[in-house]
Amino acid sequence: MIGTIARKELTELSRDGRFRLLAAVILVLAVASTAAGWLQFTAVSRQHAEAQRETREQWLGQQEKNPHSAAHYGVYAFKPASHLSIVDTGLDPYLGVAVWLEAHRQSEMKFRPAQDRTAIQRFGELNGAEVLLVLVPLFILLVTFPVFAGEREQGTLRQLMSLGVAPRLLVAGKALGTLAAVALVIVPVSALAAVAMAWASADSYLAADVSRTVALGATCLVYFLVVTGVGLAVSAWAPSSRVALVTLLGFWFATSLVAPRIATDVAGSLHPTPNAAEFQRALDADLSDPEEARQRLARLQAETLTKYNVTSLDALPVAFSGLSLQSGEDHGNEVFDRHFGRLHDQFSNQARVYQWAGLASPLLAARSLSMALAGTDFEQHRHFAKAAEAYRRDIQRTLNDDIARNQRAGQPYLAGTELWSRVPDFTYDAPSIGWVLGRQATALTVLAGWLTLAGALALLATRRLSATLG
Amino acid sequence: MLEARHLTKRYGTTTALEALTLTVSPGEVFCLLGANGAGKTTTINLFLNFVDPSEGQALVNGVDVTRAPLESKRHLAYIPETVMLYRNLTGLENLEYFAALAGSTDLSRGSLLKVLERVGLPADAADRRVGGYSKGMRQKVGIAIAVAKGARALLLDEPTSGLDPKASNEFSELLRQVSGDGVAVLMATHDLFRAKESGTRVGIMKRGRLVALHGTDEFSHADLERLYLEHMHD
């Protein structure tokens, strides 16, 4: 019965010129955005792989020099892009995907394409997630608005309701028909994208990507079901198909265009972050306080002399310059942890507000999930930043320890390839899907709530259908 | 098969139907006559449970339509003034869809085509989209749906108005066949001639009340018309 209803909806749609045109437009946009995402992804990952190799070669190829010079020489670390970033670039264009790791400094990430964009470009960016989560729902609403309201106007609803069809079967069948229509458009594109992804990836990220891809597919499906439920409920409830259309367009406009901007503003005002200049000023003030540095060095000197039971620095079996450099690093690390910790906590809080804002717009919950699954949300940015910073600290400690061990007072000390290669290459393991979803519990719950609500609304509205025919 | 017990429908202070008590047995064609607004369509809507009764009961095959709205419709088929179909689907597809939703199990092309042939739809029309169907063809598809469903009670709301005499005659002929198979038919109509021709009983309604109830064999067409006009006169 459900299948019969769905098939009839699909047959009718496929014979409707407006539907065919709409489907073609969505198809073209989906293919274009996927292709653009894929080109971007392959270009960027090739560049990153090259740059990563180059930075390593340059590091290893350094001539003999003092380790601290090498520390200032620095290296780049690149956040590996998940294949799903083809679908959802998320916050990457805003937060950056590469970080410069050098002595004394925790840097902010670089390569933020959004930096170079004008506001209008930011508005017009079309990535796969926009097509999937904004345009496809619009398509769904345009398909569902006449489902009951149009049948009422055509007069077929009386005929239909006189048959004694259970409302839940009717809702299920119409929903299935709508989803089948969506699938007609989405499935070929997804298959194409999957093939492109598999073809593009000789590397190991794919296995982890499979579970994320499945989860992203499920997220989209649930969100489409929510939109379908709302569409059917409004179509059954509305006195005319015109009212249904206007109501649903209003719903789409509010939840898909207005809500994201309001949510961003609300998140920003609830959990404000300093601008870059303010942040830097506060960081610098804590970092290079001359009085603090003087006291710290005096303390380090006293402790070191006591530890090695000597009376002058010259008599130490280690180079004090190495120890003081490391002490400077340790102090800096504390300051960085405090400042970046506070800043990142605020960003995390903003992301959490964004998840809760899903209560107002299911798109926000779905988008939060899609970014998270694509590995382009803030939490995974932070996860990477932490790993890169830990790597930076390891480099500094390795180099400073080497200075402490090998430098002799009054003599220049040069280290070579042996030391450079003792610094391991940077590797980064993206967090597991469990880690990711654990941080999306709010979005998951909110989306599940929307699904229940939309289903209940559709069922309720359909139950009342025959009572509106008198 | 169809039974109304003190069936009453009020909208605010207006009474659309007042304490209608009526039984239509299998094989009977009961024609409801009356001016517009006399309560004929309200009666049909009440049997379809499209409106809730203010008082009384409507029963189909002994089942109260408000208590079991789905079960009561299982034996029912409804044919309005113009049978509304999905214009982008063919006649056969429409029949298949409605028959499937009504619970028919035999949906093979062959048997559906046989049903369409039985109701007299031109053979070449079955695979054409109904957007181009005449009203008479639509009414035939309506009957075909009822036949495919195996309905045991038929509710008709002015099914022949606007049909040309030939189509109207064909429709009456079909109705006679269907009722001959033991289907109970309740038809609201303005067409006294058709009522006399294909009806077994007529009821005249006025302002929500059934004011007269006669067998069609009691009088000639002219008598029926006189009787009707007498009741309409006030």
Side-chain angles (χ1 to χ4, degrees):
Chain A
M1 175 93 66
I2 295 173
T4 308
I5 299 171
R7 203 174 55 237
K8 171 254 167 192
E9 295 295 317
L10 205 56
T11 311
E12 265 198 309
L13 279 174
S14 64
R15 290 177 188 173
D16 184 338
R18 287 167 301 178
F19 168 79
R20 287 202 296 254
L21 182 67
L22 203 59
V25 169
I26 298 275
L27 196 67
V28 166
L29 288 176
V31 168
S33 68
T34 307
W38 185 71
L39 286 176
Q40 169 80 3
F41 171 80
T42 45
V44 165
S45 42
R46 196 173 45 240
Q47 282 169 16
H48 282 190
E50 238 163 64
Q52 189 81 68
R53 204 184 56 245
E54 263 171 35
T55 195
R56 181 67 184 166
E57 272 169 14
Q58 281 168 0
W59 172 262
L60 292 175
Q62 287 180 98
Q63 47 189 200
E64 296 213 331
K65 59 170 83 160
N66 185 273
H68 191 60
S69 302
H72 275 286
Y73 189 75
V75 292
Y76 266 115
F78 292 93
K79 180 181 170 196
S82 138
H83 289 91
L84 288 176
S85 66
I86 293 176
V87 177
D88 196 343
T89 50
L91 299 175
D92 278 358
Y94 305 94
L95 296 172
V97 289
V99 62
W100 177 239
L101 308 173
E102 59 168 343
H104 312 312
R105 277 269 164 221
Q106 173 168 358
S107 304
E108 286 212 73
M109 298 248 235
K110 293 189 176 143
F111 295 127
R112 291 176 280 185
Q115 248 178 353
D116 307 327
R117 268 189 225 149
T118 60
I120 201 77
Q121 271 175 307
R122 194 174 294 187
F123 196 76
E125 194 203 5
L126 184 74
N127 67 52
E130 302 271 338
V131 174
L132 272 176
L133 299 178
V134 177
L135 292 183
V136 170
L138 178 62
F139 172 78
I140 292 177
L141 294 179
L142 290 177
V143 168
T144 51
F145 88 88
V147 158
F148 290 117
E151 286 217 26
R152 196 200 312 271
E153 282 162 0
Q154 273 186 43
T156 46
L157 192 60
R158 283 177 77 88
Q159 201 76 46
L160 191 62
M161 297 314 287
S162 75
L163 298 173
V165 187
R168 67 196 149 78
L169 296 181
L170 208 50
V171 169
K174 300 264 188 187
L176 188 65
T178 307
L179 287 179
V182 173
L184 272 184
V185 179
I186 294 299
V187 167
V189 185
S190 309
L192 206 69
V195 170
M197 258 159 67
W199 187 47
S201 58
D203 55 326
S204 58
Y205 284 109
L206 196 61
D209 281 353
V210 169
S211 57
R212 283 172 178 247
T213 307
V214 170
L216 182 62
T219 302
C220 288
L221 183 64
V222 169
Y223 182 50
F224 294 164
L225 276 170
V226 168
V227 177
T228 305
V230 170
L232 292 180
V234 170
S235 184
W237 158 85
S240 71
S241 58
R242 185 189 298 235
V243 172
L245 177 61
V246 170
T247 308
L248 289 173
L249 284 181
F251 171 80
W252 178 79
F253 187 77
T255 56
S256 301
L257 296 185
V258 179
R261 279 157 185 78
I262 293 182
T264 310
D265 288 350
V266 169
S269 62
L270 283 179
H271 302 288
T273 51
N275 67 35
E278 280 167 14
F279 179 75
Q280 205 55 51
R281 207 160 37 240
L283 185 66
D284 287 344
D286 273 6
L287 211 50
S288 39
D289 173 359
E291 181 53 22
E292 182 278 336
R294 202 186 55 73
Q295 281 178 14
R296 177 163 47 79
L297 273 181
R299 209 170 333 123
L300 178 70
Q301 201 164 328
E303 279 167 15
T304 313
L305 291 178
T306 314
K307 183 181 168 193
Y308 289 98
N309 203 14
V310 291
T311 50
S312 92
L313 293 178
D314 292 343
L316 283 173
V318 295
F320 186 70
S321 59
L323 300 185
S324 83
L325 278 170
Q326 187 54 41
S327 147
E329 285 294 330
D330 289 344
H331 165 67
N333 293 346
E334 251 171 62
V335 173
F336 295 135
D337 284 345
R338 201 165 60 241
H339 282 261
F340 277 99
R342 211 157 40 207
L343 181 70
H344 287 177
D345 281 347
Q346 287 297 80
F347 282 136
S348 284
N349 289 335
Q350 289 183 359
R352 209 161 302 131
V353 170
Y354 204 76
Q355 286 189 45
W356 277 111
L359 287 174
S361 159
L363 167 69
L364 298 177
R367 190 71 208 272
S368 182
L369 280 165
S370 93
M371 285 196 291
L373 290 167
T376 54
D377 66 336
F378 178 72
E379 290 306 325
Q380 282 165 95
H381 172 84
R382 187 178 194 174
H383 186 270
F384 172 78
K386 234 181 214 165
E389 176 62 9
Y391 177 62
R392 184 189 77 84
R393 291 177 187 186
D394 274 350
I395 298 177
Q396 299 312 319
R397 184 174 295 282
T398 307
L399 298 178
N400 290 335
D401 283 356
D402 184 73
I403 293 175
R405 219 174 12 253
N406 296 323
Q407 178 145 34
R408 290 291 159 262
Q411 296 168 21
Y413 166 59
L414 302 178
T417 317
E418 190 274 329
L419 176 59
W420 314 145
S421 60
R422 228 189 303 147
V423 171
D425 200 359
F426 177 64
T427 55
Y428 173 67
D429 289 323
S432 72
I433 184 168
W435 186 98
V436 170
L437 290 179
R439 279 156 184 76
Q440 292 292 326
T442 309
L444 284 168
T445 315
V446 167
L447 203 57
W450 268 101
L451 183 63
T452 317
L453 180 72
L457 282 179
L459 203 55
L460 216 63
T462 317
R463 272 222 179 106
R464 289 186 55 260
L465 264 186
S466 62
T468 60
L469 295 170
Chain B
M1 195 66 214
L2 291 171
E3 191 182 356
R5 292 183 187 159
H6 301 286
L7 197 56
T8 303
K9 179 64 190 177
R10 279 186 286 271
Y11 293 100
T13 54
T14 350
T15 302
L17 188 67
E18 172 104 34
L20 175 72
T21 297
L22 181 76
T23 307
V24 186
S25 312
E28 215 183 347
V29 179
F30 190 104
C31 298
L32 280 177
L33 302 172
N36 289 326
K40 303 187 302 289
T41 300
T42 302
T43 306
I44 286 174
N45 279 343
L46 282 163
F47 272 109
L48 285 167
N49 192 230
F50 287 171
V51 293
D52 280 328
S54 310
E55 272 167 45
Q57 280 181 303
L59 301 123
V60 179
N61 200 22
V63 177
D64 185 323
V65 301
T66 53
R67 273 199 214 123
L70 296 185
E71 200 201 328
S72 65
K73 289 192 187 83
R74 199 177 301 155
H75 308 293
L76 215 56
Y78 165 64
I79 296 177
E81 189 175 337
T82 306
V83 172
M84 291 302 177
L85 303 166
Y86 300 102
R87 43 182 307 113
N88 276 337
L89 302 185
T90 66
L92 188 71
E93 284 168 338
N94 267 290
L95 174 61
E96 185 187 5
Y97 181 62
F98 283 116
L101 261 54
S104 313
T105 44
D106 186 7
L107 297 169
S108 67
R109 185 181 160 85
S111 47
L112 291 177
L113 280 175
K114 213 169 284 168
V115 174
L116 287 176
E117 192 191 324
R118 185 181 153 194
V119 301
L121 193 76
D124 61 329
D127 289 317
R128 282 213 315 266
R129 296 193 192 172
V130 302
Y133 274 26
S134 70
K135 188 180 160 180
M137 289 160 83
R138 286 165 180 270
Q139 301 307 84
K140 284 174 182 168
V141 175
I143 297 264
I145 293 169
V147 169
K149 182 178 182 173
R152 296 174 58 199
L154 219 51
L155 297 170
L156 305 149
D157 196 356
E158 302 183 17
T160 55
S161 76
L163 287 186
D164 63 63
K166 178 169 172 281
S168 185
N169 182 53
E170 280 174 7
F171 191 86
S172 297
E173 183 53 40
L174 267 177
L175 215 54
R176 231 189 324 264
Q177 279 181 27
V178 168
S179 81
D181 294 345
V183 174
V185 179
L186 177 64
M187 170 160 72
T189 182
H190 286 307
D191 190 339
L192 298 182
F193 179 72
R194 287 291 149 220
K196 167 74 181 124
E197 281 291 291
S198 44
T200 52
R201 280 197 295 164
V202 294
I204 299 177
M205 295 190 78
K206 191 175 175 185
R207 291 196 210 103
R209 304 173 67 106
L210 189 62
V211 290
L213 191 62
H214 298 280
T216 47
D217 48 8
E218 291 173 25
F219 32 51
S220 66
H221 176 248
D223 292 338
L224 178 59
E225 183 159 11
R226 198 174 324 111
L227 182 73
Y228 178 80
L229 290 175
E230 268 168 28
H231 280 291
M232 291 303 112
H233 188 76
D234 49 6

